[in-house]
Amino acid sequence: MLAAVPFRVGFGEDAHRLEAGLPLVLGGVPVPDAELGAVAHSDGDAVLHAVADALLSGLALGDIGQYFPDTAAEWKGMDSRVILAKALELVRGRGYAPVNVAVVVTLDKPKLGPLRAEIAASVARLLNLPPSEVGLSFKTSEGLAPRHVQTRVTVLLGSIEG
Ligand code: C5P
Ligand code: MG
């Protein structure tokens, strides 16, 4: 039998189809040069959705669709920061808080490198972490999925109960 371990690992994933004439928001930051934006029931922030699912998964709390069904009219166009705040509240309610997160965004265009510091600061602020605890990697699909954004996130959760 293992002794109680004060850490949990979580993993989350999200993807959205992209279309012209829609906004693209990643990590709570509007991407200024995006020709294509996310088709979604909410604001389609694939980074915040994957971070929220990663938080929930670390404590086997299910996924964001259970708390915010994409069939519910009340969640239409909703700000994904609300979704993340709910996931964080559930995690804290179990006595855990995020230690660090690693985020991989696969998107062909535009280049996100220039937004790295802004997205890291935004995600960090929402998780109550310093930006140094938010790792961001950006990848293209090499043209395999030009109308698609995909995000994968791991998170380490630490016990806050000493
Ligand atoms: O996917 P690939 O290896 O071709 O990406 C090359 C580099 O381009 C990445 O390492 C990343 O720094 C950058 N990139 C970016 N924004 C994207 C995709 C990739 O800044 N949307
Ligand atoms: Mg999503």
Side-chain angles (χ1 to χ4, degrees), residues 105-114 116 137-142:
V105 182
T106 304
L107 177 74
D108 278 5
K109 281 191 213 164
K111 286 288 185 197
L112 296 173
R116 193 184 309 267
S137 310
F138 304 127
K139 306 301 296 179
T140 69
S141 77
E142 295 285 352

Side-chain angles (χ1 to χ4, degrees), residues 5-122:
V5 177
F7 295 104
R8 313 277 304 213
V9 66
F11 177 68
E13 196 269 348
D14 194 40
H16 284 272
R17 191 157 48 82
L18 301 175
E19 276 183 9
L22 293 170
L24 183 63
V25 182
L26 294 173
V29 175
V31 178
D33 305 322
E35 287 170 16
L36 305 174
V39 178
H41 188 71
S42 67
D43 66 9
D45 190 324
V47 170
L48 296 192
H49 293 175
V51 172
D53 264 359
L55 291 172
L56 295 174
S57 78
L59 291 160
L61 292 169
D63 65 58
I64 58 176
Q66 291 174 248
Y67 304 95
F68 301 95
D70 65 6
T71 47
E74 62 187 301
W75 307 127
K76 186 132 185 64
M78 82 178 297
D79 186 331
S80 296
R81 288 176 290 196
V82 175
I83 297 175
L84 184 57
K86 174 70 180 174
L88 197 53
E89 179 193 311
L90 288 162
V91 162
R92 287 204 177 116
R94 292 296 186 96
Y96 283 81
V99 176
N100 73 303
V101 290
V103 180
V104 181
V105 182
T106 304
L107 177 74
D108 278 5
K109 281 191 213 164
K111 286 288 185 197
L112 296 173
L115 294 175
R116 193 184 309 267
E118 198 179 339
I119 294 173
S122 172

